[in-house]
């Protein structure tokens, strides 16, 4: 076969109700359902080229060759695509993030969503959005949520085929803005995959799992009703609960830094004084501060004035993963 290429762009996402812990690590079946917002403008662009001249897969991320561990994770995902397409051809993967990688801004979500769509296109597969979400999930759990657009729910499912993400509201449903306070650009020592594997060692994880349906329902209702006050309380509760699991795992994971805590305190003070803002933090020290579009400039300025904040990125609700045409 000749060289066959596909290019895709997928947005990162921020989870309002978090995914942390698997009930099946191999298939990345989550311990709980989750709910997120895709982030317009924070994306991964990936090109996959199946080339008969290659004797092994080649992976380049942000113009740098990847470690053996990272290469294996991508090659394993390409194997899933090759199995579906009934081909054995090796591939070259070129991927670029336009935001810091491995710092708690869901680079694996956008990365594996873009990889999935690009690889399927290059292999000649025509999968539905649901099928793409199922496939992306097996590379990175949160990647399942970057396949659909807007505000997205990822259901647990009973097995692999029905654990997928779907849109519950379009990007224009609510003019929210995610102001991401960057306090560190360093790649975290323990990534999300390693952290998920430790979640069950926390004595608090079972209580978190049992309470998850309540938090999910409350967040979904607040989101659909555009009730910011209710959304803020449940989003902060869920984020802090996830980090409690991290901190009480064996060994413990401490992602927060001094500026992280300063931002958390500041945001709660701002909201108490009437500014619609709430925080949520993924597996890293950087803080996502959710606000409404008419207050985004003020929130961004306030965050930038906090010592230790290097930069503030902003993102509005974004669309789903898509193929790039005319390449």
């Amino acid at each position: 076969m000749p060289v066959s290429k596909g290019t895709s762009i997928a947005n990162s996402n921020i989870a309002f109700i978090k995914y942390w812990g698997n009930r099946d690590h191999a298939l990345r079946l989550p311990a709980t359902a989750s709910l997120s917002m895709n982030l317009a403008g924070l994306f991964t662009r990936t090109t996959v080229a199946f080339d008969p001249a290659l004797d092994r897969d080649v992976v380049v991320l942000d113009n740098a060759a990847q470690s053996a561990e990272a290469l294996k994770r991508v090659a394993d995902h390409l194997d899933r695509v090759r199995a579906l397409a009934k081909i054995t051809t090796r591939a070259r993967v070129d991927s670029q993030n336009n935001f810091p990688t491995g710092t708690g801004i869901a680079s694996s979500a956008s990365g594996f969503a873009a990889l999935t769509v690009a690889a399927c296109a290059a292999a000649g597969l025509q999968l539905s959005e649901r099928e793409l979400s199922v496939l992306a999930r097996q590379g990175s759990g949160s990647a399942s949520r970057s396949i659909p657009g807007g505000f997205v729910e990822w259901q647990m499912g009973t097995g692999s085929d029905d654990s997928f993400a779907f849109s519950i509201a379009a990007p224009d449903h609510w003019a929210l803005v995610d102001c991401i306070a960057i306090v560190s650009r360093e790649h975290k020592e323990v990534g999300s995959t390693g952290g998920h594997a430790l979640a069950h060692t926390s004595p608090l994880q079972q209580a978190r799992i049992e309470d998850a349906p309540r938090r999910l329902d409350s967040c979904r209702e607040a989101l659909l009703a555009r009730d910011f006050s209710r959304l803020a309380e449940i989003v902060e509760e869920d984020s802090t609960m996830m980090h409690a699991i991290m901190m009480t795992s064996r060994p413990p994971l401490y992602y927060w830094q001094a500026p992280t805590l300063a931002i958390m305190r500041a945001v709660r003070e701002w909201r108490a004084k009437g500014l619609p803002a709430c925080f949520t933090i993924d597996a890293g020290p950087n803080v996502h501060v959710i606000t409404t579009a008419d207050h985004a400039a003020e929130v961004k300025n306030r965050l930038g004035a906090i010592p230790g904040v290097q930069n503030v990125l902003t993102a509005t609700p974004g669309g789903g993963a898509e193929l790039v045409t005319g390449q």
Side-chain angles (χ1 to χ4, degrees):
M1 61 176 282
V3 176
S4 180
K5 295 174 63 175
T7 299
S8 174
I9 288 179
N11 291 318
S12 175
N13 68 70
I14 179 61
F16 294 158
I17 300 297
K18 306 293 191 186
Y19 152 56
W20 196 251
N22 293 309
R23 66 184 196 274
D24 185 313
H25 292 296
L27 291 173
R28 298 184 191 269
L29 295 176
T32 65
S34 59
L35 196 154
S36 63
M37 179 179 88
N38 275 6
L39 301 176
L42 297 180
F43 61 83
T44 301
R45 180 188 176 104
T46 299
T47 297
V48 175
F50 287 105
D51 186 348
L54 295 174
D55 60 2
R56 59 184 176 86
D57 291 320
V58 178
V59 179
V60 178
L61 172 60
D62 294 334
N63 299 314
Q66 296 302 288
S67 66
E69 180 181 359
L71 174 59
K72 183 180 185 307
R73 188 173 173 187
V74 172
D76 286 348
H77 200 58
L78 290 172
D79 283 343
R80 298 180 185 105
V81 174
R82 281 187 280 253
L84 289 172
K86 296 180 172 56
I87 61 174
T88 59
T89 313
R90 301 295 105 182
R92 177 180 174 88
V93 178
D94 286 289
S95 194
Q96 295 278 338
N97 293 325
N98 75 336
F99 58 93
T101 302
T103 59
I105 314 181
S107 55
S108 66
S110 56
F112 276 89
L115 175 65
T116 299
V117 173
C120 286
L125 293 171
Q126 294 184 334
L127 302 186
S128 67
E129 182 180 274
R130 171 175 172 167
E131 290 169 329
L132 287 169
S133 181
V134 167
L135 183 57
R137 186 205 73 232
Q138 295 171 64
S140 168
S142 55
S144 65
R145 298 191 308 247
S146 282
I147 295 292
F151 299 90
V152 173
E153 182 174 334
W154 172 19
Q155 66 182 21
M156 289 175 59
T158 58
S160 184
D161 290 345
D162 63 350
S163 181
F164 64 97
F166 52 91
S167 174
I168 63 170
D172 62 359
H173 167 71
W174 195 0
L176 296 179
V177 178
D178 183 5
C179 299
I180 309 167
I182 306 297
V183 303
S184 174
R185 295 177 179 272
E186 294 182 9
H187 204 289
K188 55 199 177 192
E189 291 184 11
V190 179
S192 296
T193 296
H196 286 298
L198 295 174
H200 74 282
T201 66
S202 167
L204 307 180
Q205 174 72 339
Q206 189 57 40
R208 175 181 170 271
I209 290 172
E210 291 173 359
D211 185 59
R214 176 194 67 85
R215 300 193 308 279
L216 187 78
D217 288 346
S218 180
C219 186
R220 186 194 306 109
E221 291 167 5
L223 179 63
L224 294 178
R226 294 188 284 270
D227 183 338
F228 193 89
S229 178
R230 185 177 180 188
L231 181 77
E233 292 298 328
I234 199 65
V235 164
E236 289 186 355
E237 176 187 353
D238 189 82
S239 173
T240 304
M241 192 176 289
M242 181 184 73
H243 281 270
I245 303 303
M246 297 170 174
M247 294 177 190
T248 53
S249 295
R250 301 184 183 94
L253 301 175
Y254 299 107
Y255 287 116
W256 294 349
Q257 297 180 8
T260 309
L261 283 163
I263 296 165
M264 294 164 67
R265 291 193 186 100
V267 169
R268 290 189 66 85
E269 290 174 3
W270 299 344
R271 189 163 74 253
K273 295 178 181 178
L275 181 64
C278 66
F279 67 79
T280 184
I281 307 164
D282 280 347
N286 300 318
V287 185
H288 297 253
V289 180
I290 310 301
T291 187
T292 54
D294 52 342
H295 290 91
E298 181 180 0
V299 168
K300 181 177 181 179
N301 289 337
R302 288 192 184 193
L303 287 171
I306 295 176
V309 175
Q310 302 173 10
N311 187 26
V312 180
L313 306 176
T314 59
T316 56
E322 58 185 14
L323 279 173
V324 176
T325 56
Q327 52 176 323

